[in-house]
Amino acid sequence: MVQQSFNVMIIGQAGRLQYEALLFAASLRHSSPDFTGRVFLAMPQPGPLWQKDPSIRNSAVLEALARLDVEILPFENKIFGEKYPYGNKIEALQALPEGEPFVFFDSDTLITGDLGAVPFDFSRPSASLRREGTWPKPTLYGPGYGDIWRALYERFGLEMDSTLDLSQPDGYWKRYLYFNAGFFYGACPRAFGKRFAVYAQSILQDPPIELVGQSLDPWLDQVALPLVIHSFGGGRDALPEGYLDGATSCHYRLFPLLYARESDTVIDHLHQIAAPNWLKKVLKTYEPIKRLVYQGRGERVRALFDQAHLPRREQAIRNKIKSEGLWIR
């Protein structure tokens, strides 16, 4: 199989994200050594939409990223900024090379396999299906899921019927196209990002009447994303199962949750990736990584759960970890 070339983008900024981004880059180089694309860390620049400078100023982190051949990509926030930092993934797309296929990953992700072997069809974008029914939350007196989503599709001149998963019951959230924005991909980042920004701003500034009572913070990116993906001819079935959010990547989100619920294979990958001394010196300056990965508290979290029979609700996992004093973030 001829491996196709594409770029990878993550977001990095001062604080937690710079360490997650460093671990992501180390995992990509470890697990996918033959990856031929460029790896960009998109970094918001100081400006009126930030109270403090969000850029990475930690020289040790920047040196480690350079050693991993990560390109720093500064970008300016013109729409969102500090009030809605999830908007970084929307705005940063404009800074990527035009017309070159891209895959965006949240920084709290590990690459655990050969990224170049993932059979992306960039003409049919898609995103993560590792999600819960977080949005919308229909009220007792309506409107229901169907009316809420249909109002959004109609807002942007899109037909909705072809997006429905008819194997799911009417009125159940999984019937409707909904993604986690932990990864998504497409053929041109600027075209994708421009449409993403237009849709998100329209929904935020002038929501259809059917959205009254629905929260858009923090869900705005995940409300707009399925509309954008559908508009470019993509969908839920565009990427075969088992690669991303499977053998090739793990969106762990928080380190205590990583130890609580991910596979032994992912844990082994994490420990191998974080082992080199030059990387360890930088990563252990971040308290959650120091305590959970290097000082063994992650194994204590892991021992609290049977990974084959986890609680159905994430909140129950969080509560158990907190009750043991091991919720470190």
Side-chain angles (χ1 to χ4, degrees), residues 105 109-113 115 183 243-251:
F105 288 99
T109 300
L110 296 175
I111 300 302
T112 52
L115 195 57
F183 80 77
Y243 290 93
L244 301 190
D245 293 332
T248 311
S249 73
C250 171
H251 184 202

Side-chain angles (χ1 to χ4, degrees), residues 1 3 35 105 108 115 191 245-246 248 265 306-307 316:
M1 177 178 133
Q3 294 201 350
F35 179 68
F105 288 99
D108 49 2
L115 195 57
D245 293 332
T248 311
T265 303
D306 174 357
Q307 278 71 41

Side-chain angles (χ1 to χ4, degrees), residues 24-58:
F24 171 91
S27 74
L28 190 156
R29 297 307 184 198
H30 173 90
S31 302
S32 193
D34 299 325
F35 179 68
T36 58
R38 298 163 75 183
V39 180
F40 292 101
L41 183 149
M43 185 168 66
Q45 297 300 288
L49 297 181
W50 295 96
Q51 288 188 350
K52 296 179 180 177
D53 182 354
S55 61
I56 299 172
R57 299 176 302 284
N58 184 318

Side-chain angles (χ1 to χ4, degrees), residues 103-221:
V103 184
F104 165 82
F105 288 99
D106 272 346
S107 59
D108 49 2
T109 300
L110 296 175
I111 300 302
T112 52
D114 180 6
L115 195 57
V118 178
F120 293 109
D121 177 355
F122 290 102
S123 69
R124 295 190 66 217
S126 196
S128 173
L129 290 169
R130 189 179 182 183
R131 79 287 193 223
E132 296 179 340
T134 48
W135 195 94
K137 295 292 186 187
T139 58
L140 182 61
Y141 300 106
Y145 285 102
D147 289 336
I148 292 169
W149 279 115
R150 194 169 295 280
L152 289 166
Y153 282 85
E154 289 178 353
R155 160 67 61 87
F156 303 109
L158 303 169
E159 62 79 32
M160 186 176 85
D161 290 349
S162 67
T163 72
L164 300 176
D165 180 353
L166 299 179
S167 70
Q168 301 291 342
D170 192 13
Y172 182 52
W173 70 269
K174 277 192 174 180
R175 188 177 178 92
Y176 308 93
L177 196 61
Y178 189 57
F179 298 104
N180 184 298
F183 80 77
F184 55 84
Y185 61 87
C188 173
R190 297 197 188 179
F192 194 101
K194 182 179 180 180
R195 194 168 297 175
F196 205 168
V198 168
Y199 284 12
Q201 284 180 283
S202 173
I203 294 165
L204 182 64
Q205 295 169 2
D206 181 25
I209 190 70
E210 289 84 356
L211 268 65
V212 169
Q214 297 295 330
S215 174
L216 292 171
D217 190 357
W219 312 117
L220 178 63
D221 60 332

